Amino acid sequence: MQETNGWGGSRPSQTRRNVAMTATDEIAEVEAIMGRARNAQKAYENGADQIRYDRAAQAAAWAIMEPSRNKALAELAVKTTGLGNVADKIIKNHRKTLGLMRDIKGIKTQGILRDDPATGITEIARPVGVVGAVVPSTNPAATPANNIINALKCGNAVVVAPSPKGVASCELLLGFIYDEFDKIGLDHDLVQMIPAPGSKAKTQAMMEQSDRVICTGSQNNVHRAQTCGTPAVAVGAGNVTVIVDETADLKAAAEKITASKTFDNATSCSSENSMIVVDEVYDDFVAALAKAGGALVRDESTIVSKLWPDGHLNRSVIAQDADKMIAALGMTKQVPADTKFLAVETKGIGPDHPLSGEKLSRVAALYRASDFGDARRIAARILTYQGAGHSIGIHTAQDDRAVALGADMPTCRVIVNQAHTFATGGAFNNGMPFSLSMGCGSWGGNAIDDNLHWKHFIQTTKVIREIPPNEPALDDIFADYWADAGK
């Protein structure tokens, strides 16, 4: 509906003007939040020392790890998002945060980091400023906490943009953080969030006004983060595939894959989506998988039609408990009562074969490979279709095969003989940094190939002094080349 103006044209109706004003008010609200964050960050940085940064990080960590708070956050996350399960979210909130705190304990992020007389360079740690963190609904407390801890450790303020379903969890988390801040005299404005209702316009405004964007979530969010005009660290999509070769400990492999696949109802981007098993041990592995709780399903078409009834993932299946997922797929009487997840036999790969992609459910595709070389080819095709750069797993007794995967697969991580979900984002029994955001390198369209960690929340200034000249002679550089190619 339009109203005419005095010149015979048209002007927006009152309703449309109100909508426009509301949109303007939303942006003004974000601008006010970012302004408070910037002021708080400057005050936090000025006169700060390492102890203050460390205490702030500890405050945010204890806010989510304190058992009663952890439980409340886990329960609220499942209630409001409908994803995952409470017991596993409690474990995730605790272990991911504890592991991060282990990683950053003793790390210097304030003052002079390096003073090298040989190069004449003094390197000084500097905060990024205000970090804008876009976080997903799959981990509505653990991922924000991870970003907040890293930001505070490095002297930054942080503003979180949760997904619509994650708003309640983020609000509760920030309330707990403020309670801890009050104990040590920290400004609440150091940690804020975009208030409900969320919108693309609000998130866009936040990203544009941040000094660095950290984005974990959908490919749409990642693209928007990388094109917002602010330097962004964004992570690619997961679609983990794992190879089981003829030398693997099949019982251990089946148990680890089952534990990983079912953890928090497969909400993790590191959850196994495809298993590729070498023919020589295929039947034995299927038997081991059955004992671990993985039921073999040969009727691929039925699973596909019910998992993607309208071309989109069935919400009655996504990140649900096993019994609910099995019922939604019509498999209740067709698999054992103690089934924990479904292993669906398939051969197809690509957009016409959705089982080869990410499923966010207790369903995994199962491929049979003639040998290890064939398994590598299948894995490469899957990753090229979806999940390039993220990670691949292998269960094997031959470490050289893992190294071979690392040398030619489009992946940033090769997880060897481990439960993938627990290993990819850091574990107490491997050397990866604890994180809930995995960079996927150029394969996944990302600027980083590492797990997101504290180094991505800091920058440095170098003081450069004159030193004695270190200029080589031409022979020092080109002698071996001239010997091979001529001068």
Side-chain angles (χ1 to χ4, degrees), residues 329-345:
L329 293 175
M331 300 295 293
T332 301
K333 296 182 179 181
Q334 300 183 46
V335 295
D338 60 352
T339 295
K340 297 178 181 177
F341 80 101
L342 304 181
V344 186
E345 284 187 325

Side-chain angles (χ1 to χ4, degrees), residues 229-448:
T230 300
V233 178
V235 300
N239 183 33
V240 169
T241 185
V242 60
I243 294 172
V244 180
D245 76 8
E246 72 280 6
T247 71
D249 181 330
L250 301 183
K251 181 176 182 294
E255 290 174 349
K256 289 175 182 177
I257 290 171
T258 300
S260 173
K261 180 62 186 173
T262 60
F263 183 76
D264 202 20
N265 293 346
T267 55
S268 172
C269 62
S270 298
S271 175
E272 289 89 339
N273 275 283
S274 298
M275 298 172 286
I276 307 168
V277 184
V278 171
D279 183 71
E280 183 178 330
V281 294
Y282 185 89
D283 292 337
D284 290 340
F285 176 74
V286 167
L289 202 62
K291 291 180 180 179
L296 178 67
V297 177
R298 291 192 166 92
D299 187 0
E300 175 185 357
S301 61
T302 295
I303 296 297
V304 170
S305 66
K306 293 185 177 180
L307 193 50
W308 291 273
D310 56 358
H312 298 89
L313 276 169
N314 185 344
R315 293 191 176 276
S316 298
V317 176
I318 295 176
Q320 298 301 306
D321 292 338
D323 58 342
K324 294 179 181 178
M325 180 270 295
I326 291 169
L329 293 175
M331 300 295 293
T332 301
K333 296 182 179 181
Q334 300 183 46
V335 295
D338 60 352
T339 295
K340 297 178 181 177
F341 80 101
L342 304 181
V344 186
E345 284 187 325
T346 185
K347 295 180 180 178
I349 298 170
D352 295 329
H353 305 278
L355 274 176
S356 61
E358 193 171 29
K359 292 168 277 295
L360 288 173
S361 61
R362 292 175 177 245
V363 177
L366 179 61
Y367 295 84
R368 184 192 292 254
S370 59
D371 55 22
F372 177 67
D374 188 35
R376 287 172 63 175
R377 287 187 289 272
I378 294 171
R381 289 176 58 203
I382 293 172
L383 292 181
T384 300
Y385 161 56
Q386 189 179 107
H390 192 284
S391 53
I392 186 173
I394 183 170
H395 292 271
T396 183
Q398 297 188 20
D399 192 69
D400 60 327
R401 289 185 168 179
V403 175
L405 293 180
D408 66 14
M409 283 286 167
T411 190
C412 294
R413 299 160 195 81
V414 180
I415 305 300
V416 186
N417 294 328
Q418 297 171 71
H420 211 103
T421 293
F422 309 137
T424 315
F428 292 112
N429 61 347
N430 73 30
M432 293 297 289
F434 274 81
S435 179
L436 291 108
S437 305
M438 274 58 77
C440 300
S442 62
W443 298 290
N446 298 166
I448 65 170

Side-chain angles (χ1 to χ4, degrees), residues 65-150:
M65 286 184 66
E66 191 279 320
S68 64
R69 292 169 172 171
N70 185 353
K71 184 173 182 289
L73 286 164
E75 290 174 342
L76 183 62
V78 173
K79 178 181 179 180
T80 55
T81 69
L83 305 173
N85 64 74
V86 172
D88 288 349
K89 286 198 182 295
I90 289 173
I91 294 171
K92 184 184 295 184
N93 290 346
H94 179 88
R95 291 178 66 83
K96 284 292 186 180
T97 309
L98 180 62
L100 170 60
M101 295 306 292
R102 181 207 66 180
D103 289 347
I104 65 175
K105 184 177 175 61
I107 296 293
K108 187 171 177 57
T109 56
Q110 195 275 338
I112 295 174
L113 301 181
R114 181 173 63 95
D115 195 8
D116 187 355
T119 63
I121 294 176
T122 299
E123 188 173 10
I124 304 170
R126 304 293 299 280
V128 168
V130 178
V131 174
V134 182
V135 297
S137 58
T138 48
N139 297 305
T143 299
N146 189 283
N147 289 329
I148 290 165
I149 292 165
N150 278 315

Side-chain angles (χ1 to χ4, degrees), residues 44 52-62 97 101 104 148-150 152-153 181 184 186:
Y44 182 47
R52 189 140 180 86
Y53 288 178
D54 290 348
R55 291 295 177 270
Q58 289 169 324
W62 188 238
T97 309
M101 295 306 292
I104 65 175
I148 290 165
I149 292 165
N150 278 315
L152 293 171
K153 170 73 177 182
F181 275 11
I184 56 175
L186 286 178

